[in-house]
Amino acid sequence: MILEMKGIQKSFGGLEVLKDISLEVDSGEVVSIIGPSGSGKSTLLRCATFLETIDAGEISYMGVPAATTGAEGYARYVSEAELRKVKSYFGLVFQQFNLFPHYSVLKNIMDAPICVQKRDKEEVYEEAMELLRKMNLENRADAYPCQLSGGQQQRVAIARALALNPAILFFDEPTSALDPELTGEVLKVIRQLADEKMTMVVVTHEMPFARAVSNRVIFMDKGVIVEQGHPEIVLGNPRQERTIQFLRNYQR
């Protein structure tokens, strides 16, 4: 098992955003998380990737604990050095790309493997160019983010995350900032990664994509997992009234 989250609780002030959420992701699995705005989807992803700290619960990667809750009832995280090791297991692709504007495409991809992972520059260069070929961007290596379309920027962001050789890749609504034409470019890349058995967790509002690519779909609402299972069941024949209502409203 690559990721295990147990009993995750998270509040902002008096607002309880995640209420006892548990999630497991196995190697090669593609999990899509859907739900209305404010359901806790992105917060769950931010907790999984340590951009937010949990109030209570447990998080582990590859069997290595990152956060645990003791008798005192609140979460404790491992040391910064241990957390750095755990962070090496995952990559994250944001809604807004988050590329370094003053770096070329190639430097955006190569920077972390060289500076953080201390890997050989020539080896990283070869892998970066192969990733750009995979993204159909090999002729844009020397371009800067401002010279790219949104779809191209998001593909560079995916290449940058893959350059770290993560065991699992998280996507937080990777197409929400794109128009429909550019959305197709990015979804095609994620489909290709799914075909290659890349382990992924995707927060998305693209229901046809979730249905076609996922091994499992999770529907969240008001900080809880309402329903989860095979996409043909959750999206095609949901059992919970709240899921039915959401999909009915979504399809209008």
Side-chain angles (χ1 to χ4, degrees):
M1 186 179 305
I2 292 181
L3 169 65
E4 186 172 17
M5 302 178 77
K6 290 183 180 177
I8 303 299
Q9 298 176 35
K10 176 65 181 178
S11 296
F12 294 102
L15 179 64
E16 195 176 10
V17 179
L18 298 177
K19 308 170 185 177
D20 196 25
I21 294 270
S22 294
L23 170 67
E24 297 177 354
V25 183
D26 288 324
S27 178
E29 192 175 19
V30 179
V31 178
S32 289
I33 304 178
I34 64 171
S37 296
S39 59
K41 310 183 299 295
S42 290
T43 300
L44 179 62
L45 221 64
R46 291 177 65 83
C47 288
T49 55
F50 312 124
L51 295 174
E52 298 284 357
T53 55
I54 60 174
D55 299 328
E58 300 178 11
I59 303 174
S60 63
Y61 282 88
M62 313 288 281
V64 179
T68 55
T69 298
E72 67 278 5
Y74 61 86
R76 290 182 177 273
Y77 284 79
V78 295
S79 70
E80 190 57 43
E82 292 173 296
L83 205 56
R84 273 197 300 273
K85 179 185 177 184
V86 174
K87 286 179 178 178
S88 72
Y89 293 132
F90 64 78
L92 175 59
V93 178
F94 300 89
Q95 295 179 31
Q96 299 294 340
F97 325 136
N98 285 21
L99 300 175
F100 294 115
H102 56 295
Y103 285 179
S104 69
V105 164
L106 187 60
K107 185 168 173 58
N108 262 287
I109 296 170
M110 292 179 61
D111 190 60
I114 292 171
C115 298
V116 178
Q117 296 181 330
K118 310 299 183 187
R119 291 170 54 200
D120 177 73
K121 189 174 181 179
E122 286 301 314
E123 175 189 307
V124 172
Y125 172 80
E126 292 298 329
E127 288 188 13
M129 290 306 297
E130 181 56 38
L131 283 168
L132 284 175
R133 282 189 284 274
K134 188 173 186 175
M135 302 295 153
N136 198 25
L137 290 170
E138 63 269 31
N139 62 340
R140 306 298 276 159
D142 296 325
Y144 286 81
C146 65
Q147 298 172 306
L148 305 178
S149 70
Q152 289 172 328
Q153 289 186 60
Q154 192 61 293
R155 282 181 281 155
V156 173
I158 294 171
R160 180 179 61 178
L162 289 170
L164 293 167
N165 296 314
I168 183 171
L169 203 51
F170 293 95
F171 293 85
D172 186 7
E173 298 199 17
T175 61
S176 65
L178 304 175
D179 64 38
E181 185 177 2
L182 299 179
T183 291
E185 296 177 5
V186 174
L187 295 183
K188 182 179 178 182
V189 169
I190 301 175
R191 285 172 185 264
Q192 181 182 345
L193 293 174
D195 289 342
E196 296 169 1
K197 302 302 181 186
M198 181 74 204
T199 309
M200 294 183 283
V201 176
V202 187
V203 170
T204 184
H205 55 268
E206 300 284 345
M207 301 302 156
F209 166 79
R211 190 167 187 162
V213 172
S214 310
N215 302 105
R216 180 159 43 108
V217 172
I218 293 173
F219 172 63
M220 287 183 64
D221 188 38
K222 296 179 181 176
V224 301
I225 293 176
V226 176
E227 186 166 359
Q228 65 175 310
H230 192 277
E232 291 300 330
I233 294 175
V234 176
L235 298 176
N237 189 28
R239 294 165 180 168
Q240 300 298 320
E241 182 55 38
R242 181 65 187 97
T243 317
I244 295 168
Q245 180 189 7
F246 170 77
L247 292 172
R248 187 185 300 129
N249 291 337
Y250 179 85
Q251 288 161 358
R252 281 178 183 166

